[in-house]
Amino acid sequence: MQSNENLPVQEISEAELETMKERFSKLLLGEDMSGSGKGVCTAVTISNAITNLYATVFGQNLRLEPLETEKRALWKREMKCLLSVCDYIVEFIPRCQSLSNGTTVEVMESRPRADIYINLPALRKLDSMLMEALDSFQNTEFWYAEEGSLSMKSARSATGSFRKVIVQRKEEKWWLPVPLVPPEGLSDIARKQLKNKRESTNQIHKAAMAINSSILSEMEIPDSYMATLPKCGKSSVGDSIYCYMSGSGRFFPEKLLDCLNIASEHEAVQLADRVEASMYTWRRKACLSNSKNSWNLVKDLMSTTERTDKNYVMAERAETLLFCLKQRYPELSQTSLDICKIQYNKDVGKAVLESYSRVLEGLAFNIVAWIDDVLYVDKTMSGSE
């Protein structure tokens, strides 16, 4: 506590203190309340804690409005506590120091680890921007109906999103509040502001998604995942996709996705799992064909392998197809490999960055989706559809 009388003292209630004690105990015990030491590792515990905190604070926040004061304070207080572990994850870097006699010596000084040093300030900034975005939705021209459904046809957006912009609330996601606008629709100023907010929040979503993908790509691939890979990449993707991928001509992943006619998010996630598994299967075969047994040398090996090697070419095409799939459907849930990496990850720094970026990505996506709901209702009410 700072003894400055000008600073306000934030009192913590007894209930809040007990909650913090409980969560701190779970972190120490690895979520094993028996105390027998059979809990999960610290990295997984912190990842779960951030995920659960997000669900507690934002789980019931289903509309475009400022966050409640109590929930905002809870989010800031507990995230500050959970992120504080990164202050002690450091690396040593050389620095020149001049002594009093004019001699220059090289000393080692500590600073946050490179990935934390780069990504954590960016994530904190994105967090702040999302809070500001929610705060901006005051005195709006639209409001929400708690119950009831609107007789509007649900349609897939042209961007490839599987989310239905306005659903039949009684049949699907009936608990979500329905946005309403005046009979004449939103004013031009309000509509323009809403579109600008959508664009800025969409950029936040892309930034958080890029950080999350980067952190996941740096995590080690668990041996348990490698053990489940099929012996043949063809059996993973199927005959039709394999025939297209193995063609002698130039590979066009976008045309392949168009031909597949993916109808649901479930189908897209299944395809992503199969393509990703085949990619690592072909990479492993490329290793074996070059007499390299250690999986840790895959990246070095793939950079030196002849590009005429069939396994290398197929792995490269599978990676391109997976990238295009994720670009077309950016809201896809995590693949089996991503989930496996998070489950077996033991790096606390990566666990914090991955979970923090993941929850911010989810919040940004929800805000964009809620804005789309309002714009869709406005478009329908104004008769411009």
Side-chain angles (χ1 to χ4, degrees), residues 301-315:
L301 176 64
M302 295 306 290
S303 62
T304 58
T305 303
E306 287 291 332
R307 291 184 175 270
T308 55
D309 183 279
K310 183 179 179 180
N311 291 314
Y312 176 88
V313 173
M314 294 301 294

Side-chain angles (χ1 to χ4, degrees), residues 54-73:
Y54 171 78
T56 301
V57 175
F58 297 98
Q60 299 299 319
N61 189 41
L62 305 175
R63 58 183 69 190
L64 296 171
E65 63 182 11
L67 195 63
E68 296 177 5
T69 305
E70 296 78 7
K71 288 187 176 181
R72 178 190 293 271

Side-chain angles (χ1 to χ4, degrees), residues 188-202:
D188 293 338
I189 296 177
R191 188 180 300 112
K192 183 178 180 180
Q193 290 177 344
L194 205 57
K195 290 180 178 179
N196 290 338
K197 291 175 184 178
R198 184 198 184 282
E199 179 59 29
S200 60
T201 308
N202 191 43

Side-chain angles (χ1 to χ4, degrees), residues 36-62:
S36 58
K38 297 179 180 179
V40 296
C41 68
T42 307
V44 176
T45 306
I46 291 182
S47 177
N48 292 341
I50 293 176
T51 304
N52 294 336
L53 176 62
Y54 171 78
T56 301
V57 175
F58 297 98
Q60 299 299 319
N61 189 41
L62 305 175

Side-chain angles (χ1 to χ4, degrees), residues 266-308:
H266 180 66
E267 290 183 8
V269 173
Q270 280 189 328
L271 177 61
D273 283 337
R274 288 159 46 201
V275 172
E276 196 165 45
S278 65
M279 178 180 70
Y280 285 103
T281 299
W282 283 317
R283 284 184 178 178
R284 182 169 59 180
K285 282 189 174 184
C287 291
L288 296 176
S289 63
N290 286 269
S291 302
K292 296 287 186 179
N293 296 323
S294 175
W295 179 252
N296 294 328
L297 300 178
V298 168
K299 290 184 178 179
D300 295 335
L301 176 64
M302 295 306 290
S303 62
T304 58
T305 303
E306 287 291 332
R307 291 184 175 270
T308 55

Side-chain angles (χ1 to χ4, degrees), residues 40 55 61 65 90 99 137 139 168 177 179 205 209 263 270 300 333:
V40 296
N61 189 41
E65 63 182 11
V90 297
L99 302 180
F137 291 104
N139 302 321
Q168 296 288 339
H205 174 257
M209 185 167 58
Q270 280 189 328
D300 295 335
S333 56

